[in-house]
Amino acid sequence: MNLHAMQQRKQEMGYSLATLSSLTGVPLGTLQKIFSGQTQRPRQTTLEKLAAVLQPTPAGTMRVAERAPAYNAGGIDPQRQGSYTIKDYFALPEDRRYELIDGVIYEMASPSRQHQVIAGALFSQLLRCVEEHGPADCYPYIAPLDVQLDRDNKTMVQPDVMLCCESEQQSGTRIFGAPAFIAEVLSPSSHQRDIFLKLHKYKNAGVKEYWVIYPERQKVVVYLLAQDDDVAVYTFDDTIPITISEGRCIISLTSIKGRLS
């Protein structure tokens, strides 16, 4: 994949250089020099990192390093991947967790203790903020809870923590439509899906703010999807604003650091 093709893919996917830097690990200054033409011969390793994010699949969708299940566990047929519907999703065994994304079924591993500590702390602080400041229609939720993200029959996800602010999407047994805020706590089994595929899906569905939380690095990457894909990076020692709350909600993960070892 040459640089011209990468530039086109970057525009097609709506990525800012800051977003691309966060996804690839390539410094922002390096990307600015590459895409402005200042650097004529980028390092091969840099190009490979860019291609891994921007390379389209044969079907024209974003490449995801994590493969969908290629086995029949739980009745999943690899030949049907891409054509599964919500009806199939609800027919899967109830003793396992799954997500359905664009007709592809992904099995989810049980969350680790560290994962639960982080998700629980975030949820409790969101709940306290909503109770203190509102608005009344907003309410936080924690997994497992089905989210019919695209309001169609091809996608059903279970974000770790979310904040919904539309009353009509919070009736019934699931969330119908895109939450305003979503946070995913990375685990080895979902790492690639959360930082590549879901970032793309959440943006297109209308999620305004997306947090990717790295437990081992104790880092939070905040994607402001409603603000030209602005990206901010925080550590667990920082106080982190929920940007869509206009300063009313501030999250601190400092107190849980000792519980993660």
Side-chain angles (χ1 to χ4, degrees):
M1 191 178 191
N2 60 35
L3 188 57
H4 177 69
M6 290 182 185
Q7 179 71 50
Q8 288 185 319
R9 283 293 292 167
K10 172 182 170 296
Q11 294 176 351
E12 290 171 4
M13 299 170 78
Y15 285 167
S16 67
L17 289 178
T19 297
L20 203 55
S21 175
S22 177
L23 291 173
T24 61
V26 178
L28 179 59
T30 300
L31 292 180
Q32 291 171 335
K33 291 178 181 179
I34 291 174
F35 284 99
S36 68
Q38 184 177 347
T39 298
Q40 296 295 323
R41 294 183 179 180
R43 293 180 180 179
Q44 184 62 33
T45 54
T46 299
L47 293 176
E48 290 172 355
K49 290 178 180 179
L50 289 169
V53 173
L54 298 173
Q55 179 73 44
T57 65
T61 57
M62 187 168 58
R63 179 182 297 274
V64 181
E66 176 189 3
R67 295 187 300 170
Y71 47 82
N72 288 318
I76 299 172
D77 181 355
Q79 300 300 318
R80 289 193 58 197
Q81 289 287 31
S83 64
Y84 279 112
T85 66
I86 288 176
K87 181 179 179 180
D88 299 310
Y89 172 84
F90 284 121
L92 291 166
E94 295 184 1
D95 60 343
R96 300 181 183 182
R97 290 181 61 202
Y98 301 90
E99 287 186 312
L100 174 70
I101 302 178
D102 294 329
V104 176
I105 293 174
Y106 297 86
E107 186 169 7
M108 304 170 67
S110 296
S112 67
R113 180 184 63 82
Q114 290 84 354
H115 180 288
Q116 292 296 79
V117 168
I118 295 169
L122 177 55
F123 170 78
S124 65
Q125 292 182 54
L126 277 174
L127 179 60
R128 183 168 59 251
C129 178
V130 168
E131 290 175 341
E132 291 177 355
H133 304 289
D137 288 340
C138 287
Y139 198 83
Y141 297 89
I142 192 168
L145 176 64
D146 289 327
V147 177
Q148 201 166 343
L149 187 69
D150 296 325
R151 303 175 189 254
D152 64 7
N153 71 340
K154 300 286 285 184
T155 296
M156 188 78 81
V157 294
Q158 292 191 6
D160 290 324
V161 182
M162 70 197 95
L163 180 65
C164 298
C165 293
E166 296 179 19
S167 57
E168 62 272 16
Q169 72 179 177
Q170 300 177 62
S171 60
T173 59
R174 71 191 75 156
I175 301 299
F176 189 70
F181 167 93
I182 287 179
E184 298 281 11
V185 182
L186 294 187
S187 62
S189 64
S190 68
H191 186 277
Q192 297 296 328
R193 187 161 73 247
D194 288 343
I195 63 175
F196 293 110
L197 180 58
K198 282 188 175 179
L199 174 63
H200 186 66
K201 288 294 295 182
Y202 290 162
K203 176 185 176 181
N204 288 345
V207 175
K208 297 178 180 178
E209 185 168 349
Y210 178 39
W211 287 20
V212 178
I213 303 175
Y214 296 74
E216 293 185 357
R217 302 181 192 176
Q218 297 189 3
K219 180 178 74 171
V220 180
V221 179
V222 175
Y223 298 92
L224 303 179
L225 302 180
Q227 298 183 19
D228 298 324
D229 287 355
D230 284 349
V231 179
V233 180
Y234 300 90
T235 72
F236 283 17
D237 290 320
D238 298 321
T239 53
I240 311 173
I242 303 288
T243 302
I244 61 170
S245 75
E246 298 180 349
R248 292 189 296 270
C249 295
I250 303 295
I251 303 299
S252 174
L253 299 176
T254 304
S255 64
I256 65 169
K257 290 177 60 178
R259 298 183 180 274
L260 300 178
S261 58

